[in-house]
Amino acid sequence: MHELSIVTHVAKTLDELAEENHLSKIGSVTLEIGEVSGIMTDYFEECWDYFKRKHPLLKDAKLYIEVIKAVTFCEDCKQEYETVEYGKICPYCHSEHTYLVEGNECNIKQIEAEEKEDQQLS
Amino acid sequence: MKVIELHKTVTASNDRDAEVLRKELKEKGVFFINLMSSAGSGKTTLLKKTISDLQHEYNIAVLEADIEADVDARAIEALGARSIQVHTDGMCHMDAGMTRQGLEEMGLENIDLAILENIGNLICPAEFATGASKNVMLLSVPEGDDKPLKYPLMFQTSDALVITKMDALPYFDFDLEKCKERVKYLNKDIQIFPVSAKTGEGMEAWEDWLKEEIKKWKED
């Protein structure tokens, strides 16, 4: 839905991180993406490949995506269930009083990076 | 290669930019609201009516964000309010950086109330903070009372919901009470104002809320 703009936000965060930590190159980026975050992971990967060619810091960066399963909690029967399979209605007691526990994330988990040479010497 | 653990949300840097902008606007004395809704829900019509009712009390400026065209900005300028059109070039939401650029370009001298008319959609604008002190969303009667079920995040991030086009209620199966109940379930603190900018119904309650929020913000 707005995968390309999310890629630009990831890049901005990494630019700042590279500046702070004197990084010359990013080798990989691991993202955690929730199943119901609205982000299409295959489309996200295409946006990443398009964007990184224009961005020197990221040009060799591999993208790893870890999908976080979506889990919903029912306030009435206090049970958790899989969101993607059952949606908003609790499969145990058919209550609508449910909320998402996890599955809406879009986090940068970790990166692999090289430091600038002058930094390594000092 | 070394591994750096981040565990940062993608929107973290935008949240920080938004917070900086919010503080700067506070220093300048500009109360800034972010108006969000789907396309065609009546944002510009609500704004035009609100501006005519309040412009004797506040100097109002409007940042119009659209993917293209400048019809909205021209409609606002015709009322005598300051306005600028921001083209997002296909982007589906405004983030704090784009909002800052737009506000700086428009200029905020002597302005007490600035309003961002965000891109018309109920999904992406909810995820990106703009630096506004209050988020206001619109839902029009023809869109249907089931929207809180489909786009919960938008209702959760808004401080006020204006239900527009109330004059059309007799022609649609829109259950106002059911809609309010669904919205309150998602966000118990949200203020709900059913209005018709066309007939003026409910406009006073919405404008009183806005005035009260501006007063509270100034005293804070």
Side-chain angles (χ1 to χ4, degrees):
Chain A
M1 165 189 62
H2 51 198
E3 285 74 5
L4 186 58
S5 53
I6 292 178
V7 170
T8 65
H9 282 280
V10 172
K12 190 171 169 237
T13 303
L14 297 179
D15 281 341
E16 289 167 3
L17 186 83
E19 177 80 31
E20 282 163 27
N21 293 280
H22 310 283
L23 306 175
S24 59
K25 183 177 161 189
I26 291 181
S28 79
V29 178
T30 307
L31 300 181
E32 294 173 316
I33 294 183
E35 259 184 326
V36 295
S37 63
I39 298 167
M40 315 267 297
T41 52
D42 47 356
Y43 183 41
F44 192 95
E45 282 164 9
E46 280 179 34
C47 291
W48 179 264
D49 290 338
Y50 163 79
F51 187 84
K52 73 176 190 183
R53 287 199 300 261
K54 304 168 152 198
H55 208 81
L57 180 74
L58 300 176
K59 81 176 167 24
D60 300 315
K62 281 200 195 81
L63 177 68
Y64 299 112
I65 293 179
E66 295 178 4
V67 175
I68 297 178
K69 261 205 142 0
V71 176
T72 296
F73 178 75
C74 173
E75 288 183 320
D76 286 340
C77 73
K78 315 285 179 207
Q79 296 193 74
E80 288 185 347
Y81 63 89
E82 280 187 23
T83 312
V84 172
E85 194 167 351
Y86 301 105
K88 247 195 101 52
I89 309 283
C90 173
Y92 303 110
C93 72
H94 309 289
S95 165
E96 286 184 24
H97 299 143
T98 59
Y99 64 84
L100 191 69
V101 181
E102 58 180 356
N104 196 26
E105 297 79 0
C106 180
N107 300 328
I108 308 171
K109 187 183 177 192
Q110 64 176 43
I111 63 166
E112 286 178 284
E114 264 174 30
E115 288 180 314
K116 282 181 186 155
E117 280 178 21
D118 52 350
Q119 284 300 310
Q120 284 172 341
L121 293 173
S122 67
Chain B
M1 287 270 174
K2 67 170 187 175
V3 173
I4 304 176
E5 304 261 342
L6 272 107
H7 298 286
K8 257 190 177 176
T9 64
V10 166
T11 50
S13 71
N14 185 59
D15 289 346
R16 206 188 44 231
D17 292 349
E19 193 50 43
V20 172
L21 181 59
R22 205 173 288 126
K23 283 202 182 116
E24 285 177 20
L25 291 171
K26 175 80 187 166
E27 278 164 25
K28 287 183 181 150
V30 181
F31 185 75
F32 182 40
I33 65 171
N34 174 20
L35 204 58
M36 300 177 284
S37 78
S38 44
S41 62
K43 284 190 294 296
T44 309
T45 307
L46 180 84
L47 271 183
K48 278 160 66 181
K49 177 79 178 135
T50 307
I51 290 169
S52 344
D53 291 345
L54 298 183
Q55 63 184 355
H56 61 285
E57 287 178 64
Y58 306 101
N59 287 317
I60 305 173
V62 180
L63 187 61
E64 290 284 349
D66 276 301
I67 289 173
E68 279 189 40
D70 65 350
V71 285
D72 289 347
R74 277 195 265 167
I76 298 296
E77 272 176 358
L79 295 168
R82 198 181 300 175
S83 180
I84 192 168
Q85 184 79 48
V86 178
H87 284 166
T88 58
D89 256 343
M91 292 276 264
C92 47
H93 61 269
M94 289 287 284
D95 63 20
M98 290 190 266
T99 304
R100 170 186 289 280
Q101 275 183 18
L103 291 174
E104 281 173 1
E105 187 67 31
M106 176 170 68
L108 290 169
E109 313 78 53
N110 308 319
I111 294 297
D112 340 89
L113 171 61
I115 302 165
L116 166 64
E117 189 177 330
N118 213 317
I119 306 282
N121 92 55
L122 288 178
I123 307 165
C124 323
E127 297 189 32
F128 292 89
T130 57
S133 287
K134 291 287 166 194
N135 286 325
V136 177
M137 74 164 291
L138 271 64
L139 174 68
S140 67
V141 165
E143 286 171 75
D145 54 32
D146 59 349
K147 292 299 165 289
L149 305 175
K150 295 186 177 176
Y151 306 99
L153 187 64
M154 180 60 81
F155 292 84
Q156 282 160 344
T157 53
S158 296
D159 301 290
L161 163 67
V162 183
I163 300 179
T164 58
K165 307 190 189 179
M166 281 300 287
D167 52 293
L169 198 61
Y171 310 103
F172 290 91
D173 293 326
F174 186 96
D175 187 333
L176 184 60
E177 289 315 309
K178 188 149 233 168
C179 183
K180 283 184 181 173
E181 188 189 307
R182 285 169 175 161
V183 173
K184 286 280 183 184
Y185 180 69
L186 292 170
N187 179 350
K188 64 178 170 45
D189 299 322
I190 197 168
Q191 300 292 312
I192 303 177
F193 303 103
V195 310
S196 164
K198 199 170 160 190
T199 65
E201 173 196 346
M203 286 299 292
E204 208 177 322
W206 145 247
E207 289 165 1
D208 283 348
W209 176 81
L210 192 55
K211 286 194 255 184
E212 190 54 34
E213 289 303 318
I214 296 173
K215 201 170 141 230
K216 279 197 274 185
W217 176 83
K218 280 194 172 148
E219 285 164 1
D220 189 16

